[in-house]
mmCIF file of all heavy atoms in Angstrom:
data_model
loop_
_atom_site.group_PDB
_atom_site.id
_atom_site.type_symbol
_atom_site.label_atom_id
_atom_site.label_comp_id
_atom_site.label_asym_id
_atom_site.label_seq_id
_atom_site.Cartn_x
_atom_site.Cartn_y
_atom_site.Cartn_z
ATOM 1 N N ILE S 66 1.500 18.519 -1.567
ATOM 2 C CA ILE S 66 1.791 18.144 -2.960
ATOM 3 C C ILE S 66 3.152 17.447 -3.015
ATOM 4 O O ILE S 66 3.284 16.358 -3.587
ATOM 5 C CB ILE S 66 1.744 19.378 -3.881
ATOM 6 C CG1 ILE S 66 0.300 19.874 -4.010
ATOM 7 C CG2 ILE S 66 2.337 19.051 -5.255
ATOM 8 C CD1 ILE S 66 0.163 21.243 -4.658
ATOM 9 N N SER S 67 4.154 18.044 -2.395
ATOM 10 C CA SER S 67 5.499 17.455 -2.384
ATOM 11 C C SER S 67 5.509 16.132 -1.633
ATOM 12 O O SER S 67 6.097 15.150 -2.090
ATOM 13 C CB SER S 67 6.496 18.409 -1.730
ATOM 14 O OG SER S 67 6.564 19.616 -2.423
ATOM 15 N N TYR S 68 4.873 16.114 -0.468
ATOM 16 C CA TYR S 68 4.851 14.909 0.362
ATOM 17 C C TYR S 68 4.271 13.738 -0.411
ATOM 18 O O TYR S 68 4.849 12.648 -0.446
ATOM 19 C CB TYR S 68 4.034 15.184 1.633
ATOM 20 C CG TYR S 68 4.049 14.050 2.621
ATOM 21 C CD1 TYR S 68 4.999 14.012 3.629
ATOM 22 C CD2 TYR S 68 3.121 13.018 2.555
ATOM 23 C CE1 TYR S 68 5.023 12.972 4.548
ATOM 24 C CE2 TYR S 68 3.138 11.971 3.453
ATOM 25 C CZ TYR S 68 4.096 11.950 4.451
ATOM 26 O OH TYR S 68 4.128 10.918 5.350
ATOM 27 N N LEU S 69 3.131 13.940 -1.045
ATOM 28 C CA LEU S 69 2.482 12.844 -1.763
ATOM 29 C C LEU S 69 3.209 12.498 -3.061
ATOM 30 O O LEU S 69 3.214 11.334 -3.472
ATOM 31 C CB LEU S 69 1.012 13.160 -1.999
ATOM 32 C CG LEU S 69 0.181 13.121 -0.711
ATOM 33 C CD1 LEU S 69 -1.195 13.737 -0.932
ATOM 34 C CD2 LEU S 69 0.048 11.698 -0.180
ATOM 35 N N ALA S 70 3.867 13.462 -3.696
ATOM 36 C CA ALA S 70 4.679 13.160 -4.878
ATOM 37 C C ALA S 70 5.857 12.261 -4.486
ATOM 38 O O ALA S 70 6.166 11.287 -5.187
ATOM 39 C CB ALA S 70 5.180 14.447 -5.524
ATOM 40 N N VAL S 71 6.483 12.579 -3.367
ATOM 41 C CA VAL S 71 7.584 11.753 -2.857
ATOM 42 C C VAL S 71 7.074 10.346 -2.577
ATOM 43 O O VAL S 71 7.723 9.354 -2.927
ATOM 44 C CB VAL S 71 8.203 12.405 -1.593
ATOM 45 C CG1 VAL S 71 9.125 11.443 -0.857
ATOM 46 C CG2 VAL S 71 8.939 13.690 -1.968
ATOM 47 N N GLN S 72 5.892 10.244 -1.968
ATOM 48 C CA GLN S 72 5.309 8.937 -1.671
ATOM 49 C C GLN S 72 5.038 8.142 -2.946
ATOM 50 O O GLN S 72 5.277 6.938 -2.993
ATOM 51 C CB GLN S 72 4.019 9.094 -0.866
ATOM 52 C CG GLN S 72 4.193 9.714 0.497
ATOM 53 C CD GLN S 72 5.132 8.938 1.382
ATOM 54 O OE1 GLN S 72 5.021 7.716 1.500
ATOM 55 N NE2 GLN S 72 6.072 9.617 1.991
ATOM 56 N N LYS S 73 4.509 8.803 -3.973
ATOM 57 C CA LYS S 73 4.207 8.107 -5.228
ATOM 58 C C LYS S 73 5.444 7.447 -5.813
ATOM 59 O O LYS S 73 5.367 6.358 -6.371
ATOM 60 C CB LYS S 73 3.593 9.060 -6.258
ATOM 61 C CG LYS S 73 2.110 9.247 -6.084
ATOM 62 C CD LYS S 73 1.476 9.859 -7.312
ATOM 63 C CE LYS S 73 -0.039 9.781 -7.154
ATOM 64 N NZ LYS S 73 -0.734 9.898 -8.413
ATOM 65 N N ILE S 74 6.581 8.105 -5.689
ATOM 66 C CA ILE S 74 7.829 7.571 -6.229
ATOM 67 C C ILE S 74 8.329 6.391 -5.403
ATOM 68 O O ILE S 74 9.037 5.527 -5.899
ATOM 69 C CB ILE S 74 8.899 8.687 -6.265
ATOM 70 C CG1 ILE S 74 8.495 9.765 -7.263
ATOM 71 C CG2 ILE S 74 10.276 8.135 -6.589
ATOM 72 C CD1 ILE S 74 9.347 11.010 -7.199
ATOM 73 N N GLY S 75 7.960 6.348 -4.130
ATOM 74 C CA GLY S 75 8.505 5.341 -3.225
ATOM 75 C C GLY S 75 9.713 5.875 -2.480
ATOM 76 O O GLY S 75 10.464 5.126 -1.857
ATOM 77 N N ALA S 76 9.896 7.191 -2.561
ATOM 78 C CA ALA S 76 10.982 7.849 -1.824
ATOM 79 C C ALA S 76 10.488 8.140 -0.396
ATOM 80 O O ALA S 76 9.365 7.787 -0.033
ATOM 81 C CB ALA S 76 11.398 9.134 -2.540
ATOM 82 N N ILE S 77 11.326 8.776 0.388
ATOM 83 C CA ILE S 77 11.016 9.023 1.798
ATOM 84 C C ILE S 77 10.985 10.532 2.045
ATOM 85 O O ILE S 77 11.965 11.231 1.778
ATOM 86 C CB ILE S 77 12.071 8.351 2.707
ATOM 87 C CG1 ILE S 77 12.096 6.838 2.424
ATOM 88 C CG2 ILE S 77 11.789 8.633 4.175
ATOM 89 C CD1 ILE S 77 13.304 6.124 2.994
ATOM 90 N N ALA S 78 9.864 11.012 2.554
ATOM 91 C CA ALA S 78 9.690 12.434 2.857
ATOM 92 C C ALA S 78 10.296 12.738 4.226
ATOM 93 O O ALA S 78 10.006 12.050 5.204
ATOM 94 C CB ALA S 78 8.210 12.803 2.841
#
Side-chain angles (χ1 to χ4, degrees):
I66 291 168
S67 300
Y68 185 92
L69 289 167
V71 167
Q72 296 301 312
K73 277 196 170 200
I74 294 170
I77 301 166

